[in-house]
Amino acid sequence: MTHNDKSGLVIGASGGIGAAVARALKDDPSFARVLGLSRRLDGLDITDEASLAAGADRLRDEAFDLIFVATGALATSKGGPEKSFGALTADAMAEAMAVNAVGVALAVKHFAPLLARDRRAVFAALSARVGSIGDNRLGGWISYRASKAALNQIVRCASVEFGRSHKPSIFAALHPGTIETPLSAPFARGRFTARPDEAALNLLATLDGLQPSDTGGFFAYDGSRIEW
């Protein structure tokens, strides 16, 4: 994109990665306008369709070059990710699905129509490598893995549908790495890939490198493609 008046929206802008992405975009001279939405900032609830619809309606006159969904939950109100099927509960799995998959699908429904139609525009959502079915060799974390795999399919479906109405658009699922945030800290065992600000720059650089032919793909923070 060559113009220097791009517009960006970060959904989940008060979280560790979301806040860092918003800061990075505000520091990018090619972005003239950067907006952020989150539960903490303005009451946006990713699991409440009425909340998402109202948030999108307030922005109905916008044409975004980038919409970045940075919401997600590794642990739920029922506890951390389960290590075995013996620890699985329906309530915990439903909560993980609501935040990580259904919420993203609703964000696509209400916000993707706000992507610019006349130029390259990107819709990105945070996934996780553990959502890869082909890469799963350890098992465990059933609810989180399944919810992120569902997110990947949602992004893929969105790329097909919006590829018809928003032809230059690119939809991407992103693995940020193990980032030093409150979400991952209890489970990282000190194995952090990057701090949030560095992660944000890596993710935005990955998005900058994507072509329309990459739409619907699943990518790591270093730009490499991750198997489904």
Side-chain angles (χ1 to χ4, degrees), residues 53-164:
D57 187 60
R58 292 195 299 270
L59 302 174
R60 62 184 177 275
D61 295 327
E62 297 280 349
F64 289 105
D65 297 275
L66 172 63
I67 298 176
F68 195 109
V69 181
T71 56
L74 177 52
T76 70
S77 64
K78 313 301 178 183
E82 62 278 299
K83 295 181 180 180
S84 69
F85 278 94
L88 181 71
T89 68
D91 288 345
M93 190 169 197
E95 188 175 329
M97 285 290 184
V99 175
N100 295 329
V102 178
V104 173
L106 293 173
V108 169
K109 176 181 177 180
H110 292 286
F111 287 94
L114 304 180
L115 288 171
R117 293 172 181 259
D118 62 344
R119 58 187 184 269
R120 181 185 186 274
V122 178
F123 189 106
L126 284 184
S127 185
R129 187 180 294 275
V130 295
S132 166
I133 295 173
D135 190 57
N136 181 4
R137 295 172 181 82
L138 297 175
W141 289 25
I142 300 100
S143 298
Y144 186 66
R145 286 182 184 274
S147 65
K148 289 299 188 178
L151 180 157
N152 292 345
Q153 183 70 284
I154 289 161
V155 169
R156 184 73 169 187
C157 287
S159 73
V160 175
E161 179 172 335
F162 286 91
R164 302 182 186 117

